[in-house]
Amino acid sequence: MNKCPNCGSDTKEGAKFCTTCEYQLIRENVDNTTKTKQTVNTDKMKEVSMNYWNWLVSSWKHPFKVEDGEKYFGLVTLVIESIFFALSVMILVRKIVGTFVENSSSITSFFSGETSSSTSNPVGFNVFIVFFLATFLASLVIIGIILLVEKGFSNSNRNYLNLANEVAHKTSSVVLLNAVLFVHSLIVSNASANSVVLIDVVLGLISMIWIIGILSVVFELEETKIDKIYVGLVIYIAHMIVIAITGWIVINHYASLLTDLISKLI
């Protein structure tokens, strides 16, 4: 026998209403079930989050000792890297363009003798979206190319998500470097020589770690139809082509914006 939560009377199993106070029992059962499901979902999210954090820390300590994790850990890592990088680019470019606009307006006012109307900074959240998509999609394409080359030149049978996890595990230090770049972009106020040097060093390390990570996947294959050095060369060339195409698309996307900005200032 169950107890009515309203009056405390005994009720039968499966009863919809209390025979004493006519309290609707089925609603109480539904509410309890919903609360249970919410608790289970919350606990599951906490568990997955903790597992991902442990996986990420392990990848920082031992990048080449790839550990198994949830199938989307690699993609999540690539998303985090792309977010940090895109935010850094947006903040730095906005500061540079803002300084350029301010100085140009001051020069125009000096020679014309009139107060020029202020030109708003054209760099906004759209820059973040463009660089995030460019970085993330380029990473996905490169991993896809590696998978195709593997299947074409070896007997590898792993899938895309497994390969993404391996590449992300080996290159997870990029997350830390992008975090450094992001913090630096928040702190720096102008493009000084030291600032440019630090940015170049961080970008160089990111590029080096990424290339080492994707090439190591090839050299760890047990058997290949041609020598591994040539397989690695194919992947490297394909990687550079993807980077070049991505850069060309981004530059062309902002070429008109730059032209419009110069026209307004003139």
Side-chain angles (χ1 to χ4, degrees):
M1 298 290 286
N2 295 326
K3 294 287 185 181
C4 174
N6 186 46
C7 67
S9 300
D10 293 335
T11 59
K12 295 181 180 180
E13 289 286 349
K16 296 182 180 180
F17 295 91
C18 174
T19 57
T20 302
C21 66
E22 298 184 353
Y23 180 79
Q24 186 178 354
L25 300 174
I26 189 67
R27 180 180 62 187
E28 184 72 17
N29 295 334
V30 172
D31 292 342
N32 289 336
T33 302
T34 303
K35 291 179 181 179
T36 302
K37 288 183 178 179
Q38 291 176 347
T39 303
V40 171
N41 291 336
T42 303
D43 292 341
K44 180 63 176 178
M45 291 179 61
K46 290 180 179 179
E47 181 183 355
V48 172
S49 300
M50 185 57 64
N51 289 340
Y52 174 71
W53 175 250
N54 293 333
W55 181 87
L56 189 60
V57 171
S58 175
S59 68
W60 289 336
K61 294 179 179 178
H62 307 286
F64 279 69
K65 293 182 179 180
V66 181
E67 294 186 1
D68 294 332
E70 297 288 338
K71 59 182 180 180
Y72 296 112
F73 279 2
L75 296 183
V76 171
T77 304
L78 295 177
V79 168
I80 294 173
E81 293 172 0
S82 302
I83 289 175
F84 273 131
F85 179 73
L87 285 174
S88 302
V89 172
M90 181 187 71
I91 295 171
L92 289 171
V93 173
R94 183 171 177 79
K95 288 182 177 180
I96 293 172
V97 172
T99 302
F100 175 73
V101 170
E102 183 180 350
N103 293 337
S104 299
S105 299
S106 300
I107 293 174
T108 302
S109 301
F110 176 79
F111 283 104
S112 63
E114 300 177 356
T115 302
S116 60
S117 58
S118 60
T119 303
S120 59
N121 195 322
V123 179
F125 193 70
N126 63 310
V127 174
F128 167 79
I129 298 296
V130 170
F131 276 88
F132 169 76
L133 291 176
T135 306
F136 181 60
L137 294 179
S139 301
L140 296 183
V141 171
I142 291 171
I143 293 174
I145 291 174
I146 296 174
L147 185 64
L148 291 176
V149 172
E150 275 193 7
K151 292 186 178 298
F153 292 100
S154 70
N155 297 322
S156 175
N157 58 358
R158 58 180 159 189
N159 58 38
Y160 185 91
L161 293 178
N162 289 337
L163 180 59
N165 280 358
E166 180 175 348
V167 172
H169 196 281
K170 293 180 176 179
T171 61
S172 62
S173 299
V174 173
V175 174
L176 298 176
L177 291 172
N178 274 314
V180 171
L181 186 63
F182 173 67
V183 173
H184 174 69
S185 66
L186 292 174
I187 296 174
V188 66
S189 58
N190 53 62
S192 62
N194 292 333
S195 174
V196 173
V197 170
L198 177 61
I199 293 173
D200 288 341
V201 169
V202 173
L203 292 178
L205 290 174
I206 290 174
S207 177
M208 181 177 64
I209 291 173
W210 175 256
I211 292 175
I212 291 174
I214 62 175
L215 290 181
S216 67
V217 174
V218 176
F219 293 112
E220 289 179 356
L221 294 174
E222 295 182 358
E223 294 182 3
T224 55
K225 297 178 182 179
I226 59 175
D227 195 274
K228 293 179 182 179
I229 189 67
Y230 299 116
V231 179
L233 183 61
V234 170
I235 289 179
Y236 180 76
I237 292 175
H239 160 268
M240 295 305 297
I241 292 174
V242 172
I243 297 299
I245 293 175
T246 304
W248 179 81
I249 293 174
V250 172
I251 291 173
N252 277 272
H253 177 76
Y254 285 108
S256 58
L257 177 63
L258 181 60
T259 303
D260 293 339
L261 174 62
I262 295 175
S263 299
K264 289 180 180 179
L265 294 174
I266 293 176

